[in-house]
């Protein structure tokens, strides 16, 4: 019972000295300001297809890397189609210029895509507001 009175006394003292009020106000401000979507940059939806030597490239990972903001990723389906995800269930990519990286591995975990499309990529995309379609026709030869 002594512990309860001690806690009550501490809370009462905090209320009198405005510490608790300050803490509650700070938490309230963080909740209101931190949970809104106003911090999210402008996005454009992005989809398209990826082919390798003229054939759909299935299970390829495609990444749009913005020069200053968060990246977006997607995975191609059996027909080589992809749609980018910005974060969790939010589709799209940040509006602006992106470096595009595409990787795909075979069952032996060997990279199917030449380096000029992934770690030495030459691919770029300029995402605009609203919907964007970017198709990538990759080739293994020169």
């Amino acid at each position: 019972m002594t512990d309860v009175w001690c806690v009550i006394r501490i809370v009462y003292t905090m209320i009198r000295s405005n510490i608790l009020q300050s803490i509650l106000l700070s938490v309230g401000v963080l909740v209101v300001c931190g949970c809104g979507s106003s911090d999210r940059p402008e996005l454009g939806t992005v989809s398209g297809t990826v082919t390798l030597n003229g054939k759909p490239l299935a299970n390829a990972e495609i990444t749009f890397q913005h020069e200053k903001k968060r990246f977006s990723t997607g995975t191609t389906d059996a027909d080589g189609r992809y749609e980018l995800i910005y974060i969790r269930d939010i589709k799209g990519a940040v509006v602006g210029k992106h470096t595009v990286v595409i990787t795909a591995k075979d069952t032996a975990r060997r990279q199917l895509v030449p380096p000029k499309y992934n770690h030495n990529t030459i691919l770029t995309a300029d995402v605009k507001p609203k919907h964007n379609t970017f198709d990538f026709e990759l080739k293994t030869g020169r």
Side-chain angles (χ1 to χ4, degrees):
M1 191 69 168
T2 307
D3 292 338
V4 172
W5 285 112
C6 184
V7 169
I8 291 172
R9 186 170 183 192
I10 290 171
V11 170
Y12 176 75
T13 303
M14 289 174 68
I15 290 171
R16 285 184 44 99
S17 65
N18 291 329
I19 292 174
L20 184 60
Q21 290 173 354
S22 297
I23 291 170
L24 291 175
L25 180 61
S26 298
V27 169
V29 168
L30 288 174
V31 167
V32 170
C33 294
C35 293
S37 62
S38 62
D39 290 341
R40 186 179 336 143
E42 184 177 15
L43 302 177
T45 59
V46 177
S47 63
T49 58
V50 179
T51 58
L52 182 63
N53 299 324
K55 297 180 183 175
L57 184 59
N59 300 314
E61 295 292 325
I62 184 163
T63 304
F64 276 46
Q65 299 173 337
H66 190 273
E67 53 193 27
K68 295 181 182 173
K69 308 269 183 183
R70 189 182 194 293
F71 61 89
S72 294
T73 62
T75 303
T76 59
D77 64 13
D79 297 319
R81 292 185 305 243
Y82 71 91
E83 185 173 37
L84 293 184
I85 303 295
Y86 177 67
I87 188 169
R88 290 187 289 271
D89 60 343
I90 300 171
K91 295 179 180 181
V94 175
V95 170
K97 296 186 184 305
H98 292 258
T99 301
V100 179
V101 174
I102 301 174
T103 60
K105 296 183 178 179
D106 63 13
T107 55
R109 313 254 325 130
R110 290 180 298 229
Q111 184 59 249
L112 298 172
V113 178
K116 68 181 178 180
Y117 304 124
N118 46 64
H119 62 270
N120 293 329
T121 190
I122 60 170
L123 301 174
T124 60
D126 191 6
V127 175
K128 305 289 184 197
K130 299 195 181 189
H131 185 71
N132 301 262
T133 300
F134 296 104
D135 296 326
F136 298 97
E137 298 175 5
L138 313 181
K139 305 234 183 273
T140 55
R142 291 187 180 246

